[in-house]
Amino acid sequence: MDQSLPELSSNIPNHVAVIMDGNGRWAKKKGKMRVFGHRNGVKAVRQTIEAAAEIGVKVLTLYAFSSENWKRPRKEVETLMSLLASSLRNEFSSLQKNNIQLRAIGDLENLPSKAQKELQEVIEATAQNDRMILNLALSYSSQAEIVRAVQCISKKVVNNELSIENIDKNTINNHLYTFSLPDVDFLIRTSGEQRISNFLLWQIAYAELYFTDTLWPDFSKNDFYEAIATYQKRERRYGQTSEQIL
Ligand code: FPP
């Protein structure tokens, strides 16, 4: 059944994060190589970006490549990196046309220089766009991000730029890659796996979680709307009672 466009004006999550999973299994089911799944995954990326922008999501973070993904076979890593570079090139004009700003989080220096170059060009060119932020997690590990934040904060304490008593939640927030972004409201994972896989551990503290069996290359605009409709039915209590949040 087709899911109609969710109510545009009310209760749209500000920040949606997506663990795009199942490319390999999708390809295997079709008797193809894993990279065939990744190539088809790009179409689902496009659909999801369009759907999110259309309903007024403000930040869309996509888990495109984890720090652990570097351990995959060399050929697969190469394909993913070249897909990233070519997608950035191909989608650049569409991002501009739709007023979407590109950002990236993760250990970007580990990316091949070509991908880094494409990424920086699109980030700079779209910096003034303000309809939606498309945030790509690349060579990203949430634990590494937290370690990095602790190191930065510790240095400031040692240099007397910060006192231990003044370290609070905002201090940690301000030292994460996502420092200028709101916390995640809604986390979607495709492919039936129900785990977080080292993604935005701090930022999802109060996110609603959504798991679907759909494999990433099959994930369509309708699937995204269906997920959003589920989010809209959830009651976010942040530790309080239903009566208190009314
Ligand atoms: C997970 O499926 C998917 C990835 C590790 C990569 C996601 C990349 C893309 C969708 C293409 C390029 C991205 C952009 C942003 C242009 P998997 O390989 O882990 O699948 P499996 O669990 O079935 O093996």
Side-chain angles (χ1 to χ4, degrees):
M1 197 180 69
D2 260 18
Q3 181 70 43
S4 58
L5 205 65
E7 179 70 47
L8 290 178
S9 55
S10 71
N11 200 14
I12 297 292
N14 247 331
H15 187 170
V16 177
V18 187
I19 302 177
M20 311 182 287
D21 195 14
N23 292 350
R25 276 164 284 164
W26 184 89
K28 198 171 169 195
K29 267 171 66 180
K30 294 188 155 26
K32 306 268 189 181
M33 306 282 280
R34 294 176 55 80
V35 293
F36 182 70
H38 296 316
R39 286 201 191 93
N40 281 275
V42 176
K43 292 179 201 157
V45 170
R46 195 177 304 126
Q47 292 263 310
T48 303
I49 297 169
E50 279 179 20
E54 274 166 22
I55 60 165
V57 168
K58 286 294 160 201
V59 184
L60 175 69
T61 299
L62 301 180
Y63 204 3
F65 194 86
S66 74
S67 302
E68 290 76 23
N69 287 154
W70 290 115
K71 293 183 216 142
R72 290 193 173 193
R74 190 175 54 88
K75 195 87 199 103
E76 183 171 342
V77 171
E78 280 172 10
T79 303
L80 280 167
M81 289 300 138
S82 70
L83 264 181
L84 172 69
S86 62
S87 302
L88 288 166
R89 233 180 3 262
N90 296 340
E91 302 304 325
F92 173 55
S93 61
S94 161
L95 293 178
Q96 284 293 43
K97 199 172 77 207
N98 288 293
N99 195 14
I100 294 170
Q101 183 187 132
L102 183 76
R103 294 200 198 174
I105 57 172
D107 201 350
L108 306 180
E109 281 165 16
N110 281 344
L111 299 176
S113 52
K114 198 168 152 39
Q116 279 189 49
K117 192 170 156 280
E118 298 283 354
L119 196 60
Q120 280 319 319
E121 276 177 22
V122 183
I123 288 174
E124 278 164 34
T126 61
Q128 304 307 320
N129 294 349
D130 60 6
R131 181 178 178 198
M132 183 178 86
I133 293 170
L134 169 63
N135 186 33
L136 296 183
L138 293 163
S139 190
Y140 176 84
S141 144
S142 183
Q143 289 175 332
E145 178 184 36
I146 293 169
V147 168
R148 181 178 164 273
V150 171
Q151 287 174 340
C152 282
I153 294 167
S154 307
K155 269 186 204 143
K156 289 186 183 169
V157 171
V158 168
N159 295 335
N160 289 322
E161 292 164 33
L162 182 65
S163 67
I164 288 179
E165 301 72 46
N166 286 338
I167 296 176
D168 61 11
K169 208 168 81 173
N170 288 332
T171 319
I172 312 280
N173 262 327
N174 291 339
H175 289 83
L176 297 174
Y177 290 125
T178 51
F179 66 93
S180 56
L181 301 176
D183 276 351
V184 175
D185 297 299
F186 191 40
L187 173 72
I188 299 172
R189 182 175 190 144
T190 59
S191 91
E193 306 293 355
Q194 303 198 358
R195 55 177 171 264
I196 305 300
S197 300
N198 206 0
F199 188 43
L200 302 172
L201 299 176
W202 174 276
Q203 299 88 338
I204 59 166
Y206 273 102
E208 294 296 324
L209 309 182
Y210 178 87
F211 301 102
T212 169
D213 287 340
T214 304
L215 301 174
W216 180 250
D218 287 331
F219 194 75
S220 64
K221 274 191 178 184
N222 257 349
D223 291 312
F224 185 80
Y225 295 145
E226 204 173 301
I228 297 292
T230 302
Y231 170 87
Q232 291 178 323
K233 290 189 203 108
R234 304 258 181 103
E235 183 184 63
R236 301 185 74 191
R237 291 196 295 276
Y238 301 94
Q240 295 183 281
T241 66
S242 288
E243 292 70 29
Q244 283 176 302
I245 55 161
L246 276 177

